[in-house]
Amino acid sequence: MKRVTTIASLTAVLTGLFSTAVLAGDAISETTKQPINFNAIGMFVVFVVFTLGITYWAANRTKTTSDFYTAGGGITGFQNGLAIAGDYMSAATLLGLTAMMYTKGVDAYIYMIAFFVGWPIILFLMAERLRNLGRFTFGDITSYRLNQGPVRTMAAVSSLIVVCFYLVAQMVGAGQLVKLLFGLDYGVALVIVGALMMIYVTFGGMVATTWVQIIKACMLLFGGTLVMLLAMSQFGFSFEELSNRAIEVHKLGVKLLSPGNLLADPITAISLGLGLMFGTAGLPHILMRFFTVTNAKEARKSVLYASGIVAYFFNVVALMGLCAVIIVGTNPSFFEEGQIGGRIIGGGNMVAMHLAKAVGGDLLLGFLSAVAFATILAVVSGLALAGASAISHDIYSRVIKKGKASESSELRVSRFATITLGCVAVILGLLFEKMNVAFMVALAFGVAASANFPVLILSMYWKGLTTRGAIAGGYIGLFSAVTLVVLSKSVWVSVLGFAEPIFPYTQPALFSMPLAFLTVFVVSKLDNSEAAASERRAFDDQFVRAQTGVGAETAAAH
């Protein structure tokens, strides 16, 4: 248990909640290759065959850019809520948070609750306006009344940085998971994930991506619930008995159910919180999901359903972690050389899998392993679609072609961009195999919170925003977030090998996000050009559209 450190636990939490296994490469870094798991491989093959059938069905429904980017706007609030929850409930949510609960107790649960702080922002401030103002990407909203070319370019650049860093971390995580759960080689995982991702997105677009995510979410909910119920049955479904016995055997004793000091440094804690809270509201693949529903009412429903589903799953994971303290933690067969309290076979993040085997045998272990790998596959599909839309819709169609590109040519560019992103992700995954990829997530959230969120929220709510202010603030947020992460311990010391970091904190949001907001405000206030005056006057029309949805895209008929 000592091998699972505080930092590893935090990275696991970060990973699980935001798509996903994004930090799986780091969160599951302490892994050893396990024997080939034929049950897991067989079940994963079944999942792949089923989802490829869905892709074939979706390909027949994907004829227009609206179909490709947003499933024609025909996804219901419940379906979209499941898909958004699927983005959150990743392999590392299952593995990392169970391990964190197993080692740190109630601190893990506090962190699960803390991640919900971002939901009210999306629900009350953004969901309705996103659906009413946007069409395919959040660049549609930020450039709604501003100069299309430079604003869309800035939005596309920041989106691609977020997507690319997520994709690389996902691919590294896929390799580590396959080595850990399937017993196959690292490179095999990259090729499988890359190839399937390109097939899902290229042929099925958002329809296939959404349904793959929904199926994966249902499988994860079913698998986790089954393990939890089987484990709880050993304690008569009594939480009191479970907690009392866990306190008796755990090294923390009564402190297992008392809050501790996971983050002793308050600056890092605040910066981490800001990055996660506002970074979520700036993630391009999350924002795209609000354009897939029929109207603003369904967009709000999406957030409510997603919140409920994720909350339920977090409670399942918490109970799994506590059950594992007794069922796994006191069984010498799950420890190397049979030494209870020593190193867990396969690494600390195998706790959930060992629990599944203890309560359900090899069959349940195989199912949960297949689901864990399927989560990464579903997440990278959403990321690839978000990256492709930034290239094809924002840059190609709106900037290069000035909005005059045909739908067929835009679809061709989208599919070419998807294939290119897939190839780049596989290559970078191979290059980064031995590297610590933790900084990539810090960078992705820093950019989302500092470059995307300020411009997006101000474009919806502040009449005084101008093109010059949006461009200046967006790029300042982007470059400051990137610079601070590079100068932090995550890159300056861990990757580049210097003795001491120049920037003392690992999370940039506390510094880069206020700087971005301040830059937007100052530059916009100082902009007295005629174009700026026209942009301010256009806010009233935008406000009516945001409130009423008059003129917004409707669902396509199929």
Side-chain angles (χ1 to χ4, degrees), residues 87 159 329:
D87 274 331
S159 294

Side-chain angles (χ1 to χ4, degrees), residues 126 130 138 141-142 281-282 287 452-460:
M126 298 178 66
L130 282 169
F138 83 92
I141 301 168
T142 55
L287 295 174
N452 294 353
F453 176 73
V455 177
L456 180 61
I457 197 73
L458 289 176
S459 68
M460 291 192 288

Side-chain angles (χ1 to χ4, degrees), residues 121-132:
I121 296 172
I122 297 175
L123 175 60
F124 295 111
L125 297 182
M126 298 178 66
E128 185 171 346
R129 296 192 182 209
L130 282 169
R131 181 59 186 87
N132 286 339

Side-chain angles (χ1 to χ4, degrees), residues 41-174:
I41 294 172
M43 292 179 187
F44 182 69
V45 168
V46 172
F47 170 81
V48 169
V49 170
F50 187 52
T51 50
L52 286 176
I54 288 175
T55 304
Y56 177 77
W57 165 77
N60 295 323
R61 296 165 56 96
T62 305
K63 305 298 183 184
T64 66
T65 51
S66 178
D67 296 332
F68 186 83
Y69 296 131
T70 63
I75 304 296
T76 68
F78 178 68
Q79 292 167 348
N80 199 43
L82 260 178
I84 293 173
D87 274 331
Y88 273 62
M89 300 184 306
S90 69
T93 306
L94 180 67
L95 301 181
L97 285 179
T98 304
M100 188 180 182
M101 194 75 188
Y102 172 83
T103 55
K104 298 295 180 181
V106 76
D107 273 337
Y109 195 72
I110 291 173
Y111 269 85
M112 294 181 209
I113 295 172
F115 283 100
F116 280 95
V117 176
W119 282 110
I121 296 172
I122 297 175
L123 175 60
F124 295 111
L125 297 182
M126 298 178 66
E128 185 171 346
R129 296 192 182 209
L130 282 169
R131 181 59 186 87
N132 286 339
L133 292 174
R135 189 182 180 199
F136 297 149
T137 69
F138 83 92
D140 291 336
I141 301 168
T142 55
S143 64
Y144 188 90
R145 59 186 172 88
L146 306 180
N147 190 325
Q148 294 276 321
V151 174
R152 281 187 183 275
T153 301
M154 183 269 295
V157 168
S158 61
S159 294
L160 285 171
I161 287 178
V162 172
V163 166
C164 286
F165 275 84
Y166 261 117
L167 273 177
V168 172
Q170 286 282 7
M171 300 305 280
V172 173

Side-chain angles (χ1 to χ4, degrees), residues 1 102 235 242-254 256 322-330 340-341:
M1 289 191 293
Y102 172 83
F235 308 98
L242 168 64
S243 56
N244 287 337
R245 289 181 59 183
I247 288 171
E248 290 174 3
V249 302
H250 200 280
K251 66 177 182 179
L252 293 178
V254 293
L256 181 70
L322 274 184
C323 290
V325 170
I326 303 161
I327 297 173
V328 176
T330 60
I340 293 178

Side-chain angles (χ1 to χ4, degrees), residues 21 24 53 73 98 176 194 254 318 332 359 365 367 370 381 415 447 524 543:
T98 304
Q176 299 295 337
V254 293
V359 300
L365 171 64
F367 177 76
S381 298
R415 287 168 171 149
V447 170
S524 294
F543 181 78

